[in-house]
Amino acid sequence: MTLSITTSEEKPEPASRPSLMSGSIAMMAVNIAAVAVGIILWAVVTSQGVVGLPTPLAVAKQAVIQAQNGLLWSDAISSLGRVFTGFALGIAVAIPVGFLMGWYRIARGIIEPYVQFFRTIPPLAIIPLAIVTMGIDETPKIFVIFLASFLSSVVATYQGVVNVDRTLINAARVLGANDFTIFRRVIVPASLPYIMVGVRIGLGSSWATVVAAELIAAQSGLGFRMQQAQLYYDLPTIFVSLIAIGVLGLIMDRIVQTTDSVLTAWQEKL
């Protein structure tokens, strides 16, 4: 006779998925409710004339006009292309440089002074130098965004490497693992949470920099549209561009969060 025994540890496993799903739905409902409350408060404040801001209805009408004539889409695509290019290049360089700084002391000694030096200089202050050395086409715009993304991400990657538990590294050496195996199987997985935080910060820095980057002789883009609207005190257009930047940034951040949850599924989270 064969007995089938189910331990108490196996029971919570099927029930955990519905709880996670219900928790995600509840959080989404809270997010939607928070946005709705914010819009209502915005409408109440502007309808009372407390501040000289456009009403949500005026901003919505302007968004429809810009969407119909294609300005909103062309500006969004231009800004999105600049942000994505600069952000992708920044992350692609920051991650290996951060690993080098964290894994090799000599590399840390060579690279860290430059990283810390440029971190104290706002990327926006590089704009005049970028214009003089790179011209006024797309190159200086992307470079400024790249710099903001790189400087925000490289430190997080470096910190992730140096914070790896030495016990894990020593245990791997005892088991006969070489440096490459330790780096691939221990350092990289343990550093991923830090790296993904750096990626999110770099993404935010990229969007924060794009408006100033589009000061460089741009002919399209959400930042460019805001600057043009400022000349005519066109507040609804400014709000449309602001909201578009926020929505695009939020979507990209959610994509990064989803990637983070997949890559760090082993990590216990609240």
Side-chain angles (χ1 to χ4, degrees):
M1 179 182 296
T2 302
L3 297 178
S4 177
I5 300 175
T6 303
T7 63
S8 59
E9 295 179 356
E10 296 174 350
K11 293 180 180 179
E13 185 65 26
S16 62
R17 293 181 180 177
S19 62
L20 289 174
M21 184 176 298
S22 60
S24 300
I25 295 174
M27 183 59 66
M28 185 179 299
V30 172
N31 291 338
I32 295 173
V35 172
V37 170
I39 294 175
I40 292 172
L41 290 175
W42 176 15
V44 170
V45 171
T46 53
S47 64
Q48 299 298 322
V50 178
V51 291
L53 298 177
T55 64
L57 182 59
V59 174
K61 288 181 178 178
Q62 184 62 32
V64 171
I65 292 173
Q66 290 193 21
Q68 288 177 343
N69 60 28
L71 281 179
L72 181 59
W73 310 120
S74 62
D75 288 338
I77 291 172
S78 296
S79 294
L80 185 61
R82 292 171 184 137
V83 168
F84 180 78
T85 304
F87 166 71
L89 291 173
I91 295 301
V93 176
I95 291 177
V97 170
F99 276 128
L100 280 175
M101 291 173 58
W103 190 245
Y104 298 106
R105 290 184 177 272
I106 184 64
R108 185 187 313 174
I110 295 173
I111 300 173
E112 188 175 18
Y114 292 99
V115 171
Q116 297 301 333
F117 173 78
F118 281 104
R119 283 184 66 224
T120 61
I121 302 175
L124 305 184
I126 305 296
I127 289 179
L129 178 62
I131 294 176
V132 171
T133 57
M134 302 179 186
I136 58 175
D137 57 0
E138 291 296 307
T139 303
K141 303 178 184 64
I142 293 174
F143 174 76
V144 173
I145 297 171
F146 156 81
L147 191 62
S149 174
F150 169 80
L151 293 175
S152 300
S153 305
V154 67
V155 176
T157 303
Y158 156 73
Q159 202 64 41
V161 175
V162 298
N163 281 349
V164 174
D165 191 349
R166 300 294 304 181
T167 304
L168 299 177
I169 299 176
N170 294 334
R173 291 193 189 280
V174 169
L175 293 173
N178 56 30
D179 284 348
F180 177 75
T181 302
I182 293 173
F183 181 80
R184 182 172 61 90
R185 301 295 297 272
V186 178
I187 301 298
V188 172
S191 304
L192 270 177
Y194 289 86
I195 294 173
M196 296 311 297
V197 169
V199 169
R200 293 186 66 187
I201 296 173
L203 178 61
S205 300
S206 298
W207 277 108
T209 308
V210 69
V211 175
E214 290 176 346
L215 284 169
I216 309 174
Q219 298 299 318
S220 63
L222 296 169
F224 165 78
R225 195 64 54 196
M226 289 172 60
Q227 295 158 28
Q228 292 297 305
Q230 177 190 1
L231 300 176
Y232 303 100
Y233 203 70
D234 185 0
L235 290 179
T237 298
I238 294 176
F239 267 71
V240 169
S241 297
L242 282 173
I243 293 172
I245 289 174
V247 170
L248 290 173
L250 180 61
I251 292 173
M252 292 183 70
D253 183 73
R254 288 295 181 266
I255 294 173
V256 173
Q257 274 190 306
T258 302
T259 305
D260 180 22
S261 64
V262 172
L263 294 177
T264 61
W266 50 268
Q267 186 183 31
E268 293 184 1
K269 299 178 182 179
L270 293 176

